[in-house]
Amino acid sequence: MAVATALLAVLLVPPLLTPGADSGETSQVRSLRVLVPNQPGGGYDITARTAAKAMEDADLLRNAEVFNLPGAGGTVGLGRTVGERGNGKLIMSMGLGVVGAVYTNKSPNSLLDTTPIAKLIEEPDIVVVAKDSPYTSMQQLVDAWKANPGTVTVGGGSAPGGPDHLAPMLIAKAVGLPPKTVNYIPFDGGGELLASVLGGKVAFGVSGVGEYRDQIQAGTLRVLAVTSKDRIQGIDAPTLKESGVDVEFTNWRGIVAPPGITQNDRDKLVDVFARLHKTSQWAEALQRNGWTDAFAPGDEFRTFLENENKRVATVLKDLGLA
């Protein structure tokens, strides 16, 4: 039924090819449609909308239409992107989560079937609880988790195989919990996860820092630890390693286009993101969201994706999840 529903979602979305004044051999991208393969409020969504606004504010684009096509950890959107072969006016916001979802959902499509445009950012995950949670430190959470792993539920804004799933699995392994005993509840993006964390439906959540910065600053969420090597500016929380958990983990996000686009369209897309990378608007967005600049264009991004596919497959196998 889930597969049939996903296929129906793909079939009911209207064609994405939108020829217009910029469909000729011009030297600059004028408009784009940006597919987000998860729900509004998730990491891919925030990244896409932030990049689109920065491009428009910097006069790099006349119009960027961002729309959501969620499902199956991002692989519904991936399938649609691959199916739009030759469409140089469409891009997809994506990241590590889609790499893992390809394996866990046994997707017939891979990111290697797309045209890599640019890797944009890296972002650490955070371990968060509601402000009224009984857990005030990572050690308290770990102790309770080890005592009864089945009842201490963890929610993540990605499907199995995604970053918000891999991070708690690696944490569990590091503290001596078999990953298969972890009661992980997946949500389609950080937006969906937030309500369950605040409502106490999960004991703790794992998500990207950029998705929850407002709630953290407002005091409705408490951060127990960050997964990065160093502490995050503006977040009053230790690293996992400082908390006695030997794990260091970073998520990333980027942009891909359909396969079979012309060399001219590919070059224009790579160029517009290269120019975005140099703007003050993008620099401000990186700082505001707590993102690390990780720009890698075109062929460099393709090599990175090839290596990530191999790495994620190995990690999932090591954890007994693939």
Side-chain angles (χ1 to χ4, degrees), residues 153-286:
T153 55
V154 51
S158 59
D164 299 348
H165 174 243
L166 291 176
M169 294 301 167
L170 291 170
I171 293 170
K173 185 177 181 181
V175 302
L177 272 174
K180 288 187 176 181
T181 68
V182 174
N183 188 356
Y184 177 79
I185 301 175
F187 295 85
D188 200 351
E192 283 195 354
L193 169 64
L194 178 60
S196 290
V197 174
L198 293 176
K201 294 181 180 179
V202 294
F204 68 103
V206 177
S207 191
V209 62
E211 296 169 72
Y212 290 161
R213 188 172 287 272
D214 290 345
Q215 289 78 17
I216 294 166
Q217 292 175 347
T220 57
L221 285 178
R222 179 189 304 144
V223 183
L224 300 185
V226 300
T227 68
S228 50
K229 177 181 178 182
D230 301 310
R231 291 194 178 205
I232 301 171
Q233 185 176 2
I235 303 294
D236 184 20
T239 66
L240 284 172
K241 287 192 173 182
E242 288 177 319
S243 304
V245 181
D246 191 16
V247 171
E248 184 181 311
F249 183 86
T250 303
N251 188 15
W252 58 266
R253 299 192 192 104
I255 299 292
V256 296
I261 64 174
T262 67
Q263 186 66 40
N264 181 60
D265 280 342
R266 175 189 178 276
D267 291 346
K268 286 192 296 184
L269 290 171
V270 172
D271 178 67
V272 76
F273 280 97
R275 287 186 288 133
L276 169 68
H277 176 246
K278 297 176 182 178
T279 64
S280 60
Q281 289 87 349
W282 186 243
E284 192 276 330
L286 292 174

